Amino acid sequence: MNIVAKNIQLGSGKLTVMVKDSIDIQGIKTISGSRALEDTTPAARNAEVVEYILNADCTITAKTNLHELAFGITGINQAYGTPLNPRYPALIPGGSSSGSAAAVAANLADFTLGTDTGGSIRMPAACCGVYGLKPTFGRVSRKGVLPAQSSLDCVGPFANSVEMIETAMQIIDPTFTAQTLETSSSTAPKFAWLNVQANSEVSECIQDCLSQANLEVEQVEVETFKKAFDAGMQIINYENWQAYGELTKTGLIGADVQGRLLKTAETTLEQVQQAEQVKSEFTQEIDALLNKFDALLLPTLPQIPPKVADAENTVAFLNLTSLVRPFNLSGHPAISIPLETKQGLPVGLQIVTKRNADEHLCSIAKFVVKAAQ
């Protein structure tokens, strides 16, 4: 199914884990789904998160495929094949952590690891109908993860339940302690619904879920949301050119990623500095809302994921990240909860909480899932 980049057998624990092939495993080449990195030297040591996994009750069984160089949102990979979306085979698996999401959807692992710079965990989670968590920026170690330098990227887990997401976080973040939300009529969580643009079938599916859960939700506006989406792209472009610009000379990068990388060379330091100003403004606006509410709710994706046959042109679908990328800019933790329309199509509910409140985020997610049952 093109989910697995390389089968391996490390450790002998009860939990099975797969990791995205942008995360180092000692003795194995980290090629990030790109022929341009096939001649790279095998990793000299494990990424720190891999060490945590091996020191826990886990067995790593594979490295997973991804959108080339983790620079794409569809999950389509011309070099090594596109991972099949197990639950929605005609639809894209989502990128860039396509194989990690698909592996969980196919029940090939108890949990998997992906990375999220502009939505690359939450987006494939929504596409494949699984749970995906982008932790607070800096909360989980990126030591031994490509690209080596990033001001937005986060390592995080996929799983088929919030409880397994929590288990994964306790393993890869030694400071994480699972919580249970204590609620009563006087202490019910306060939710804000971010008024963002999304297709009616997505909005209706989420509103049905919130009604089923009997949640009281106050609608709010975020003035800098669109600016944050654009600013996040400027920073991603600039940093990806620094990381991978030299590879564009090899002639080995797929046409879609090659074209996007060459375009990133046009990003200026002045644009990055302007993006940093937007980052400050947007972060303050989200922080202010989260001082009033326990969590912010919004769709993970603004539309139903497109079919693989219609998604060859990555640039045409960049709007798919419009609701996820802003929270990479601000660094807030965000989780995608899988929902399904009455027509049997995937939708994600995104939940966001205060920075470094990842435990609270998971407890809120458990509360919402249970209430909606």
Side-chain angles (χ1 to χ4, degrees):
M1 291 191 290
N2 300 314
I3 290 172
V4 172
K6 187 176 182 65
N7 286 302
I8 55 180
Q9 185 75 22
L10 290 177
S12 57
K14 294 177 182 177
L15 294 178
T16 56
V17 182
M18 295 181 177
V19 302
K20 185 177 183 178
D21 193 23
S22 57
I23 300 172
D24 284 348
I25 292 180
Q26 187 176 5
I28 299 174
K29 293 180 179 181
T30 304
I31 65 172
S32 288
S34 180
R35 294 198 190 283
L37 292 175
E38 280 185 343
D39 291 334
T40 195
T41 304
R45 57 186 61 85
N46 291 324
E48 194 160 7
V49 287
V50 170
E51 284 293 316
Y52 287 142
I53 290 168
L54 294 176
N55 289 333
D57 195 17
C58 300
T59 302
I60 299 178
T61 59
K63 298 192 84 176
T64 56
N65 199 1
L66 61 147
H67 200 115
E68 186 172 6
L69 298 177
F71 194 36
I73 61 177
T74 62
I76 293 173
N77 187 310
Q78 302 292 355
Y80 299 105
T82 301
L84 176 71
N85 185 333
R87 296 177 184 172
Y88 309 97
L91 306 183
I92 62 168
S96 63
S97 307
S98 49
S100 293
V104 165
N107 294 310
L108 298 179
D110 291 302
F111 72 87
T112 60
L113 293 190
T115 61
D116 191 317
T117 314
S120 288
I121 289 173
R122 290 157 291 158
M123 182 171 184
C127 291
C128 292
V130 300
Y131 295 83
L133 171 67
K134 180 201 84 69
T136 300
F137 178 77
R139 181 87 190 243
V140 176
S141 171
R142 290 192 70 260
K143 189 175 181 180
V145 178
L146 289 181
Q149 303 297 323
S150 175
S151 61
L152 303 180
D153 188 50
C154 307
V155 176
F158 295 90
N160 280 314
S161 68
V162 183
E163 288 79 6
M164 185 55 71
I165 290 283
E166 291 178 315
T167 296
M169 283 298 292
Q170 288 172 319
I171 291 169
I172 65 173
D173 173 10
T175 70
F176 186 98
T177 303
Q179 297 178 353
T180 299
L181 195 66
E182 300 294 336
T183 60
S184 65
S185 58
S186 60
T187 61
K190 293 180 64 178
F191 293 104
W193 173 259
L194 262 59
N195 188 20
V196 294
Q197 288 191 328
N199 286 8
S200 58
E201 53 193 334
V202 170
S203 297
E204 288 168 8
C205 178
I206 293 177
Q207 292 306 323
D208 286 347
C209 168
L210 300 182
S211 296
Q212 178 71 24
N214 197 29
L215 299 184
E216 291 189 16
V217 180
E218 182 178 329
Q219 193 166 118
V220 298
E221 302 276 349
V222 176
E223 291 184 7
T224 54
F225 200 86
K226 175 63 169 63
K227 288 168 65 178
F229 169 72
D230 295 332
M233 193 73 258
Q234 298 287 5
I235 293 173
I236 290 170
N237 283 345
Y238 185 82
E239 294 183 348
N240 272 358
W241 179 251
Q242 306 308 309
Y244 299 125
E246 283 297 310
L247 297 182
T248 61
K249 301 174 183 177
T250 65
L252 297 173
I253 298 176
D256 67 324
V257 174
Q258 175 82 354
R260 290 187 65 207
L261 271 176
L262 290 173
K263 186 72 175 172
T264 68
E266 301 172 9
T267 307
T268 66
L269 268 176
E270 182 181 1
Q271 288 173 311
V272 172
Q273 290 166 354
Q274 291 169 349
E276 290 290 344
Q277 179 59 39
V278 172
K279 177 179 180 178
S280 176
E281 294 170 3
F282 176 71
T283 301
Q284 289 176 27
E285 193 169 4
I286 297 299
D287 284 344
L289 281 173
L290 288 170
N291 283 330
K292 294 174 57 180
F293 298 96
D294 289 282
L296 311 180
L297 307 178
L298 71 160
T300 306
L301 305 181
Q303 67 178 73
I304 301 299
K307 294 180 179 179
V308 173
D310 299 330
E312 292 292 332
N313 182 2
T314 297
V315 175
F317 289 97
L318 284 177
N319 68 304
L320 286 173
T321 63
S322 62
L323 308 181
V324 285
R325 190 192 305 159
F327 300 107
N328 291 92
L329 191 73
S330 66
H332 291 86
I335 191 170
S336 183
I337 303 298
L339 305 177
E340 196 171 69
T341 69
K342 293 172 182 175
Q343 293 73 38
L345 295 171
V347 168
L349 167 62
Q350 188 176 190
I351 307 176
V352 181
T353 57
K354 288 182 178 181
R355 285 173 291 172
N356 289 310
D358 301 51
E359 294 89 345
H360 185 57
L361 173 61
C362 289
S363 68
I364 288 277
K366 285 187 294 187
F367 171 82
V368 171
V369 170
K370 184 177 180 179
Q373 290 175 342

